[in-house]
Amino acid sequence: MFNRNRSLQRVAAIVSISLVTGCSLLGEESSDDAGPIVVGTTSAPSTLDPAAAWDGSWELFRNVYQTLLAYPYGSTTPQPDAAKSCRFTDASSRTYRCELREGLTFSNGDKLDAKAVKHSIDRIKAINAPTGPAGLLGSLDQVTVSGDNVIVFQLNKADATFPFVLATPAGSIVDPDDYPANALRKEDGIVGSGPYRLEGYEGGRQAKLVRNDNYKGYADLKNDAVTIRYFQDSGDMVAALRKKQIDITYQGLAADDIVALESEGDTGGLQLVEGAASNINYLVFNPKDKWADRLPVRRAIAQVIDRPAIAHKVYKDTVDPLYSMVPKGLTGHSTGFFDDFGKPDAAKARRILADADITTPVPLTLWYTTDRYGSDTALEFKEIKAQLEASGLFRITLKSRPWNTYVLGYQNGEYPVFGRGWSPDFPDADNFIAPFVGEQNALGTPYPEKEITQVLLPRSRQESDRANVVKDFERAQQIFVDEARLLPLWQGKQYLAANEDISGGERSLDPSTIMMVGELYRKTSW
């Protein structure tokens, strides 16, 4: 494990986000005379239209589109952004009313009013894109407006999590003149009302953001421009950081990079900022595949998988083993997979298959994406293959694709078993259960689990006090364990590596670990 006790005096200091609340790193804010701050990430957008994205595209959207509610630094509950105020107007949490700020406009100067908000939300449901966030709006019945500034959301059932949904980029407000009501936008670029406007975009390469002078909301930008560069390989990204071609990294640092940066100490000239995170990594079993559809096969894999080995050998203990789809740190977290399966045991797995008269080795193809979750993904799947084949029970073939085509593959049901990562839309256990079940879900693989969708989630959403829903969440997690359609592997930590003249990294991550690039700035002195 890493040494967490080094002094903050060192240049390669490790700063825990939880310990620096209300503080900045050393130095004062500076002007942007040195040009835009350049952020590197391995997570490129798959689209520029909010109606088509329920993935890492949100990292860009959060900074260029505006939502009614958002998360100012230090807040874990949604606060007004485009809205002046929002609240439930009834005791049953079924009518939600928002009033807009006065004088809102889009980056092109067009008026942003209640009709634009209604248009933005309605089109997500109308288009219902396979890759889009319509699944988050399942409790929404209709949107009505009153005058220019009042929007009322009528829900078809009680949903105390609805404000959280409006605070996600699924609630991005778009210009009705530029975004069709019933079709995805074909033009390049973005017309939003967020803190930045998109000045230039090269798909898969970079996005140039400049301050949006028309923005009215909670964000107080610490810089005037940010360029986001997209890398396919974390090694190339770190090399660019060392050469000062970029100023800070966001997503995609590989474990070896983190260990190397940590070990450099005073000689590295870089900061490594570490913060708690709730992103998770897991396997999905496709019921359309004849082997993945068989419960004994899934349970045998669950019995063999060695999570601590993955965390240590592949990720150098920069991630933690995870035994539930709800990560540690959230109300309702459990350890169901450990409770039921215990430590990895090939003999137990063999009995599971033998009792079902399944001949071994079972042939399975495992798929992963090459450019979404960092360069360690390929190593992780090689380790999973090695573990499963070492048991003598499985014969594994590994295949991979870049993210844009990978998404289409799992949505079309092509993959027997595939890897996914999940960063929360909002910080509530609901968001680690609801997105994965139902006929339409974030996996593109229908999972019609009625007890969860018709009993547990509806009941839990009637509770505004989330401490009262622990039993329902624990039951939902046990269903996941019993059916083993999803197999949690590890929970991540968030690492940002930055040049020594960059500050604000510790303030830049919102509760869903999306980077708010407006918090970044250059220091004038140490």
Side-chain angles (χ1 to χ4, degrees):
M1 294 294 289
F2 298 144
N3 175 12
R4 303 298 184 195
N5 298 316
R6 293 179 303 180
S7 167
L8 292 181
Q9 301 291 325
R10 300 176 67 167
V11 175
I14 304 298
V15 184
S16 171
I17 291 176
S18 63
L19 297 179
V20 295
T21 301
C23 306
S24 293
L25 293 175
L26 302 173
E28 302 294 334
E29 295 180 32
S30 71
S31 67
D32 280 334
D33 294 341
I37 291 174
V38 183
V39 177
T41 177
T42 60
S43 184
S46 60
T47 177
L48 297 182
D49 190 329
W54 193 358
D55 59 22
S57 306
W58 283 12
E59 295 156 13
L60 175 62
F61 294 176
R62 172 61 78 198
N63 293 284
V64 292
Y65 289 110
Q66 195 173 18
T67 48
L68 290 171
L69 302 167
Y71 297 97
Y73 174 70
S75 174
T76 56
T77 56
Q79 305 296 321
D81 187 11
K84 181 168 66 175
S85 64
C86 288
R87 64 185 181 89
F88 281 107
T89 60
D90 63 332
S92 62
S93 299
R94 294 184 62 173
T95 303
Y96 196 70
R97 181 184 186 275
C98 291
E99 183 176 352
L100 291 174
R101 296 177 188 264
E102 298 288 341
L104 292 174
T105 61
F106 291 101
S107 56
N108 61 4
D110 288 355
K111 182 179 179 180
L112 192 167
D113 57 13
K115 292 180 180 178
V117 176
K118 173 178 168 58
H119 171 87
S120 302
I121 301 298
D122 283 349
R123 72 185 293 266
I124 288 176
K125 296 193 70 174
I127 294 171
N128 196 22
T131 55
L136 282 171
L137 299 172
S139 64
L140 179 61
D141 188 19
Q142 64 176 344
V143 185
T144 59
V145 301
S146 176
D148 284 345
N149 291 335
V150 175
I151 310 103
V152 178
F153 300 91
Q154 191 66 50
L155 309 184
N156 52 40
K157 52 192 171 186
D159 188 358
T161 71
F162 188 71
F164 290 93
V165 174
L166 291 182
T168 73
S172 296
I173 305 170
V174 300
D175 189 339
D177 290 340
D178 289 278
Y179 292 77
N182 297 296
L184 296 176
R185 188 172 190 261
K186 296 181 180 179
E187 293 80 2
D188 293 332
I190 286 174
V191 181
S193 58
Y196 294 91
R197 57 182 176 85
L198 185 64
E199 185 178 59
Y201 181 73
E202 299 175 64
R205 296 189 62 187
Q206 68 177 7
K208 293 184 177 180
L209 312 184
V210 297
R211 181 188 291 264
N212 176 15
D213 293 329
N214 292 336
Y215 170 72
K216 291 183 179 180
Y218 78 89
D220 180 17
L221 301 191
K222 307 298 192 301
N223 61 68
D224 291 325
V226 171
T227 296
I228 303 174
R229 284 188 56 192
Y230 302 111
F231 294 84
Q232 290 193 351
D233 182 82
S234 60
D236 293 340
M237 181 173 67
V238 173
L241 179 68
R242 295 184 186 280
K243 295 175 184 177
K244 297 190 181 299
Q245 296 170 345
I246 62 176
D247 296 302
I248 186 170
T249 67
Y250 169 41
Q251 296 277 22
L253 278 179
D256 286 341
D257 298 326
I258 295 168
V259 172
L261 289 167
E262 219 180 10
S263 66
E264 288 177 6
D266 295 337
T267 64
L270 300 172
Q271 310 165 63
L272 187 64
V273 180
E274 177 191 343
S278 52
N279 58 299
I280 67 172
N281 182 275
Y282 57 98
L283 295 178
V284 183
F285 295 90
N286 183 357
K288 294 181 180 180
D289 179 78
K290 71 174 183 178
W291 292 115
D293 184 46
R294 300 196 65 176
L295 178 58
V297 170
R298 302 196 299 267
R299 290 183 63 82
I301 291 174
Q303 186 64 71
V304 169
I305 287 291
D306 189 339
R307 295 169 177 82
I310 294 172
H312 181 69
K313 292 170 65 175
V314 177
Y315 291 99
K316 309 299 191 294
D317 300 311
T318 61
V319 305
D320 293 323
L322 183 65
Y323 298 93
S324 167
M325 291 298 289
V326 176
K328 292 178 291 186
L330 290 185
T331 300
H333 165 73
S334 70
T335 56
F337 277 91
F338 185 83
D339 299 339
D340 277 31
F341 294 98
K343 295 181 179 179
D345 192 321
K348 289 182 179 179
R350 184 177 298 277
R351 287 196 295 272
I352 292 172
L353 295 174
D355 289 345
D357 294 325
I358 294 176
T359 302
T360 60
V362 176
L364 277 173
T365 300
L366 274 59
W367 282 81
Y368 63 93
T369 179
T370 57
D371 58 354
R372 168 61 58 171
Y373 307 120
S375 303
D376 288 329
T377 304
L379 298 177
E380 176 185 357
F381 273 76
K382 288 179 181 178
E383 172 63 19
I384 292 172
K385 170 183 168 71
Q387 291 180 11
L388 294 177
E389 291 190 334
S391 71
L393 305 176
F394 299 95
R395 185 174 68 252
I396 303 299
T397 301
L398 296 182
K399 292 187 177 182
S400 62
R401 287 177 178 171
W403 178 252
N404 282 345
T405 54
Y406 184 75
V407 172
L408 297 176
Y410 71 68
Q411 288 173 345
N412 291 332
E414 296 178 21
Y415 311 148
V417 185
F418 59 96
R420 282 294 310 269
W422 183 256
S423 294
D425 305 317
F426 51 85
D428 190 278
D430 181 289
N431 196 235
F432 289 88
I433 296 171
F436 308 127
V437 294
E439 291 295 336
Q440 181 184 37
N441 59 49
L443 305 173
T445 304
Y447 186 7
E449 174 44 63
K450 292 185 178 180
E451 183 179 353
I452 295 178
T453 59
Q454 297 181 13
V455 179
L456 300 176
L457 288 175
R459 186 165 62 203
S460 70
R461 288 171 176 174
Q462 296 176 27
E463 287 285 352
S464 57
D465 185 348
R466 306 308 284 163
N468 293 332
V469 299
V470 170
K471 290 184 178 180
D472 283 339
F473 287 149
E474 289 177 344
R475 173 58 189 156
Q477 290 169 86
Q478 188 57 48
I479 292 172
F480 283 166
V481 173
D482 294 342
E483 299 182 353
R485 280 277 305 272
L486 307 168
L487 188 64
L489 297 173
W490 51 260
Q491 176 175 347
K493 303 172 186 177
Q494 186 65 57
Y495 292 91
L496 307 177
N499 287 317
E500 59 187 5
D501 65 335
I502 295 296
S503 193
E506 76 283 359
R507 294 177 55 93
S508 66
L509 300 179
D510 77 359
S512 57
T513 64
I514 291 177
M515 177 179 276
M516 302 299 296
V517 297
E519 293 288 350
L520 304 175
Y521 60 91
R522 302 186 194 280
K523 307 168 193 172
T524 56
S525 62
W526 284 91

